Amino acid sequence: MKKTACLLLAAMFLFLFFGCGKGGADSADATASDAPLTARDIADRIFAGVKFDDTLTAAPESSAMSVYRLTGYTGDCAYFVSTMATPEEIAVFKTDENHDVAKLKDAAQNRIELQIDNYSSYAPKEVPKLENAVIYTGEDVVVVCVSADNKTADSLIKGLF
Amino acid sequence: MDDRNSVKNNIAAAIAFCIFLAVVPLFLIFLPDKDFSGAEKRVLSQRPELSLGSALDGSFESDVEKYIQDQIPLRNAFVGIGSYFDRLIGKNGADGIISGKDGYLFNTPVVFNKDSLDINLSLLNNFSDNVKTDNYIMIVPSAGYMLEDKLPAVHETYRDKEILDYISDSVLGKYAFVDITDALSRSSETNQIFYRTDHHWTSAGAYAAYREFAGHAGYDALSEDMFVKEYIDGFHGTTYSKSALWFKKPDRMELWTYPESDITVKITDIGSEKTTTSDSLFFKDGLEKYDMYPVYLDGNHSLTEITNDSVKDGTLLIIKDSYANTLATLLADSFHRVLMVDLRYYRTESVSGLIEEYGVDKLLVLYGIDNIINDTNLIWLK
């Protein structure tokens, strides 16, 4: 009985280690470099590593501020938008003196809720992408990703930080 | 004896409950999953995949909960019962839909987000400086504002007048504001101007706006008796789906055709190779689907071009949301060409370039009152 319990405990510890190992190559890349990733770096990595049904294109930072209703925002941001009729997008916002993580997260959640409301009317089949959208909050960054594979996006984004 | 009956009843109730607990999972396991609810017009959650990661982080458990909620047998009935019960206990409007008189289902009043509206009006005003067209803006008020007599006695206040006045003042000098509230109000005395089970205006409501716009844009509006009307029954729209009040009677749609028009419709979706052409303004294939509203010009697309060879001149470009789909079927009878651009789908191309390419002389911005405040796609207007 005691031997069995010890074996089970050992197996549990192994599983815990596997969980900490998530993120693979991306995680290793992030830790290998000392320089913090820029918003554009983060967006590029998400774009390269996640599946999108739509064609995404980089949009001006001013578009991101307008879409996310971030008046007076001066931080580092990157924004990729879909060119067709889907809600897919990548938005990365680093904090500035007027916009902390909480404010940026609120803006992201408002954006997703509004999109759900809009797409419920005219393209309801796109709504699940929004309902499972990734909104990641880090120490000084908020990342939004709406894609065809939000689970992979979630893992990838977490692996970057 | 009474004790024995009581014990028997308790046992029977327990057995019935256990059977219920056993049978429902069997239905979930053996019945095929539904992927879409036509009544609610939304995608339903599918059977989640179990993985170590999803089990450890809790997402599997929440996905299972969503799956059961969406796939449980008789889901529509349960949702409907819940919705009717909510109204019975006074929660009319809690889900965003107010159940009114005569079968009307109204969206709750739009929140007057001034910051958001200012951004959109600024984008529109800046755009007007870049084009040499006669510019108009028409905002469709909400059904709840226009049909106050159909609302229940207790309801939130509709601030449409305040919002419309604010818009009118903000675009002064850039766009001629086409106020359609009086025209809609007059029409409502004898016509149904909004659907009961959908947030859109009816053909009669759009016609009132068509006549009002004629006075601004300078075309001769066709009289109502010049149109041939086709009636389509069985329309349940957006407010019906959102409310889950399944016993509400469906609406009747009307397709108004002017026989003298010689129409060609060309529909383009940016990013797609596909172009659709038709010699009719009405796409009746859409009547077989869960959403019948796209019968008007096949719904929303990047660019819709309507050419009428029986009208010699006049090119109108409409920057729009879905309200324009009905109105454009009337405007097409008074202009040689009507172009509709939906910025939700027309993001990478230049609208000013389109204006120049087609020699557009009149520009109409047409949105419902909620979208002019909340739409975030006007940033693509260039």
Side-chain angles (χ1 to χ4, degrees), chain A residues 15 22 59 63 66-67 69 81-86 111 114 117-120 122 124-125 128 132 151, chain B residues 36 41 43 52-53 63 66 116 119-120 270-271 290 300 344-345 347-348 371 373-376 379-380:
Chain A
F15 283 133
K22 276 185 189 173
S63 303
S66 185
V67 165
R69 302 300 196 237
V81 294
S82 62
T83 54
M84 289 162 60
T86 73
R111 163 73 173 162
L114 194 59
D117 210 35
N118 286 333
Y119 276 84
S120 296
Y122 67 86
K125 294 188 178 180
N132 298 313
K151 281 193 176 169
Chain B
F36 190 81
K41 292 184 179 57
V43 174
L52 184 62
D63 288 345
K66 287 179 196 169
S116 188
I119 290 173
N120 283 342
I270 304 298
Y290 66 88
N300 301 313
R344 291 172 292 196
Y345 307 85
R347 297 179 184 176
T348 54
N371 277 335
I373 295 173
N374 294 315
D375 196 297
T376 53
I379 57 161
W380 311 119

Side-chain angles (χ1 to χ4, degrees), chain B residues 122-155:
Chain B
S122 176
L123 290 165
L124 285 170
N125 286 341
N126 288 342
F127 180 75
S128 75
D129 293 335
N130 297 329
V131 293
K132 294 172 187 171
T133 47
D134 297 331
N135 301 332
Y136 307 89
I137 185 166
M138 180 190 295
I139 304 300
V140 185
S142 49
Y145 172 72
M146 291 306 310
L147 302 174
E148 198 177 352
D149 59 324
K150 302 294 183 189
L151 289 167
V154 177
H155 61 85

Side-chain angles (χ1 to χ4, degrees), chain A residues 141-153:
Chain A
V141 67
V142 170
V143 180
V144 180
C145 181
V146 182
S147 72
D149 185 0
N150 285 325
K151 281 193 176 169
T152 299

Side-chain angles (χ1 to χ4, degrees), chain B residues 128-307:
Chain B
S128 75
D129 293 335
N130 297 329
V131 293
K132 294 172 187 171
T133 47
D134 297 331
N135 301 332
Y136 307 89
I137 185 166
M138 180 190 295
I139 304 300
V140 185
S142 49
Y145 172 72
M146 291 306 310
L147 302 174
E148 198 177 352
D149 59 324
K150 302 294 183 189
L151 289 167
V154 177
H155 61 85
E156 289 177 65
T157 303
Y158 285 83
R159 299 174 65 186
D160 291 49
K161 180 167 185 352
E162 182 187 348
I163 297 167
L164 294 172
D165 286 346
Y166 183 82
I167 294 170
S168 175
D169 290 342
S170 299
V171 301
L172 192 64
K174 307 285 187 182
Y175 293 84
F177 184 79
V178 183
D179 186 346
I180 57 173
T181 51
D182 285 347
L184 285 172
S185 187
R186 285 192 301 272
S187 181
S188 72
E189 291 169 8
T190 49
N191 301 300
Q192 181 183 342
I193 56 169
F194 284 93
Y195 293 108
R196 287 189 307 273
T197 64
D198 189 87
H199 66 285
H200 290 109
W201 53 14
T202 61
S203 297
Y207 179 74
Y210 162 77
R211 287 196 72 89
E212 183 62 32
F213 186 47
H216 292 259
Y219 59 86
D220 291 326
L222 300 174
S223 63
E224 188 177 340
D225 57 11
M226 295 169 91
F227 291 93
V228 172
K229 296 179 189 176
E230 183 181 352
Y231 302 101
I232 310 290
D233 288 318
F235 175 47
H236 276 130
T238 53
T239 51
Y240 175 81
S241 297
K242 203 172 166 184
S243 71
L245 297 175
W246 306 135
F247 291 118
K248 291 294 180 186
K249 286 182 189 171
D251 276 295
R252 164 176 281 190
M253 302 177 98
E254 294 180 358
L255 311 182
W256 293 24
T257 305
Y258 177 53
E260 304 295 319
S261 285
D262 181 10
I263 296 285
T264 306
V265 178
K266 183 177 161 190
I267 294 171
T268 307
D269 284 309
I270 304 298
S272 164
E273 299 297 324
K274 189 179 154 192
T275 301
T276 304
T277 55
S278 171
D279 59 3
S280 171
L281 297 163
F282 307 108
F283 288 70
K284 293 183 185 174
D285 288 348
L287 296 173
E288 304 302 319
K289 297 179 187 171
Y290 66 88
D291 183 6
M292 291 167 68
Y293 192 73
V295 67
Y296 301 105
L297 292 165
D298 200 40
N300 301 313
H301 294 275
S302 303
L303 174 64
T304 303
E305 179 183 341
I306 311 168
T307 306

